């Protein structure tokens, strides 16, 4: 109340009704002089239930803290990731989740991408083999025909299978063999 601002009080046990409470109080002033205090008490178990119901990933959890040593203990565990949000009431809301759970999504994505890359590579290898066979087969047939001619066999019959340069070469080669 030193500056005349509203404050949150830390949780305390109200012995009159035997309830753990947290209070928000606002000082009232008239002509610069404090004339009273208005506040509200909140059953702390309601807040704790809301915090307890916070779920992060599979086994992550949340809790409220007003002491730094509980935070230090959590932060010293390297297997957990912690997000700390300071609240207006002076407490900290801590969200704690095992680092492995956070990394699971990334690992699953890496696996899926790796499988997709592997499948795509296999597909392109198959396509490359089929295309190369399609291109090489007419050249192999011309090579065999040339070997037959060299050995004196002119009874070859070549039929162009493509309409490109290799097909034109095959056609002209057959014409040459026919002239011979």
């Amino acid at each position: 109340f030193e500056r005349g601002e509203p404050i949150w009080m830390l949780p305390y046990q109200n012995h009159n009704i035997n309830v753990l409470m947290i209070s928000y109080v606002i000082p009232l002033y008239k002509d610069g002089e404090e004339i009273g205090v208005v506040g509200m008490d909140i059953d702390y178990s309601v807040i704790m239930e809301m915090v307890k119901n916070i779920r992060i990933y599979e086994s992550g959890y949340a809790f409220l803290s007003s002491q730094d040593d509980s935070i230090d203990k959590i932060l010293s565990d390297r297997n957990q990731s912690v997000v700390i949000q300071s609240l207006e009431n002076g407490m900290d809301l801590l969200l704690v989740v095992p680092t492995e759970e956070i990394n699971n999504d990334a690992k699953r994505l890496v696996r899926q991408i790796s499988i997709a890359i592997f499948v795509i590579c296999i597909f392109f290898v198959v396509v490359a083999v089929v295309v190369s066979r399609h291109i090489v087969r007419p050249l192999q047939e011309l090579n065999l025909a040339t070997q037959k001619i060299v050995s004196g066999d002119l009874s070859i019959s070549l039929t162009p299978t493509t309409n490109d340069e290799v097909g034109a070469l095959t056609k002209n080669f057959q014409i040459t063999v026919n002239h011979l």
Side-chain angles (χ1 to χ4, degrees), residues 73-144:
K73 182 177 185 297
I74 293 291
L75 294 177
S76 67
D77 185 355
R78 298 286 182 223
N79 296 325
Q80 298 185 55
S81 294
V82 180
V83 174
I84 302 171
Q85 177 63 51
S86 295
L87 304 176
E88 287 184 29
N89 64 0
M91 300 182 79
D92 292 320
L93 175 66
L94 284 85
L95 306 173
V96 182
V97 65
T99 306
E100 183 66 26
E101 285 186 35
I102 295 171
N103 294 337
N104 281 345
D105 289 339
K107 288 178 182 177
R108 184 173 40 254
L109 184 60
V110 166
R111 267 192 311 271
Q112 290 171 345
I113 290 171
S114 298
I115 290 169
I117 289 172
F118 179 74
V119 168
I120 289 169
C121 286
I122 294 295
F123 172 76
F124 280 112
V125 165
V126 168
V127 168
V129 166
V130 168
V131 168
S132 67
R133 283 188 180 166
H134 181 71
I135 292 170
V136 171
R137 187 176 307 127
L139 294 173
Q140 288 174 334
E141 289 174 3
L142 279 174
N143 187 36
L144 286 173

Side-chain angles (χ1 to χ4, degrees), residues 1-5 27-36:
F1 284 154
E2 291 177 13
R3 293 172 283 164
E5 296 176 3
L28 300 174
Y29 292 90
K30 182 176 182 183
D31 298 327
E33 183 178 328
E34 185 176 339
I35 59 170

